[in-house]
Amino acid sequence: MSVRSLIEAFDRERAGREMHALAADLYPICRSITGNGFRQTLDLLERVVPLQRTEVPTGERVLDWNVPREWNVRGAWLRGPDGSKVVDFSDHTLHLLNYSVPFQGRLPLAELQPHLHSLEDRPDWIPYRTSYYEEDWGFCLPDRIRRSLPDGDYEVWIDTTLEPGSLTYAEHRIEGASPRTVLFSIHGCHPSLANDNLSALVVGTRLASLLSAIRTRYTYHWIIAPGTIGAIAWLARNRSRVESIVHGLVLTCLGDAGPFHYKRTRSGTAPIDRTVEHVLAHSGQDHGIRPFDPFGYDERQYNSPGFRLQIGRLSRAEHGRFPEYHTSADNLDFIRPDALAESLILTLEIVEALEQDRRWLNRAPDGEPQLGRRGLYRALGGMEDPGQATRAMLWLLSESDGGSSLLDIAIRAGMPVPVMAEAAQSLHEHGLLEPDETGTGLETP
Ligand code: ZN
């Protein structure tokens, strides 16, 4: 079985529905960078694919950071002067400032105000706020409610624990013919937020489950970790593994209805950059390409000068650039089954292009070999345009002199990788091309 056969057998509607249903199950869980919410999330993701978990104890030094104390929530609410509840954590995980320290007490509105967070320009939405590395407590609520609060004494009850424990991250690995590894990294620390980042959790794990069914040339490795500190902890503990990572993608925000966005690696010219841009260009999908910047998600860690991993970022909506970002409006209605399915297909197409990108050598380089005599003009019956197949073969024969890879040739010819790969296979079967992967570290077919 090949990646192509996975794409062809893909039941888009069913997969979209199932991924959205899993996101709905994950949505109410209060996740954070540590704690039981993250572990419960992994429990649910294990319905899709087995995960290997690592617990990194509080206080462990990870690169320039320390693993913080573990945070868990039993409950939290705020009552107004008349005793009625203003907000309750059990209604929405975003109501509580993530990593709030425990606090119980009565205080007047003026003293409460610095602990309240709302969005003036989006009066009905609850913002998502965190305080991981500074001890604080607080509530997040719609500005409309905040503005209607009467003067008087408020009762605060925040029943959280912040104690020595551990940070959890999870991995899944598919051994390929070569140890050379493609990394997929997904952050999973956000509470009830759907696009950022339940969408990538459900798409990424589904991708892992699909690829488990086939034999691949590359090894594939998934990391599901809390943002920033999780990726840092993984890098700190896996230096020896880093060298084998040759391509990778941070997956995030893959469920909204907007166009795809690819953020390049720091070099901007890595094979993964060229691969994703090529696949997007031939996908027929609206998309944008962005240069690297040191902001955003965990591409920052992987691309840092000490690691220099060639890891780009694939998303639809971009970090911080959609109104619903980090608010209660990034909910289950904001992500769509068809968009999740389309994102999954795109990741499969990227994997397919990586798998098929190999160097070939023309074994009949003197002049143009006679294709007609070999029946090659009609050999590619599956292709809609036989002229395209012939053009692909002529490009391959012309460029396969040991320097160019199949992706290089596909880019130069302006034709999609799967078409080139099928033509190359045909030429190979007729003895006109032979694999040449000297120096790539990959197995020959
Ligand atoms: Zn976020």
Side-chain angles (χ1 to χ4, degrees), residues 128 187 189-190 193 196-197 252-253 296-297 319-320 325-326 330:
Y128 165 50
H187 70 275
C189 54
H190 289 31
L193 293 164
D196 177 16
N197 204 96
T252 178
C253 298
Y297 296 102
H319 174 260
Y325 173 80
H326 283 188
D330 180 2

Side-chain angles (χ1 to χ4, degrees), residues 27 30 52 68 73 91-92 139 141 166 179 197 278 323 356 380 438:
Y27 184 75
C30 182
Q52 191 204 323
V73 191
D91 295 333
H92 206 302
F139 291 102
L141 70 170
S166 56
N197 204 96
H278 177 77
Q356 289 179 333
L380 305 170
T438 328

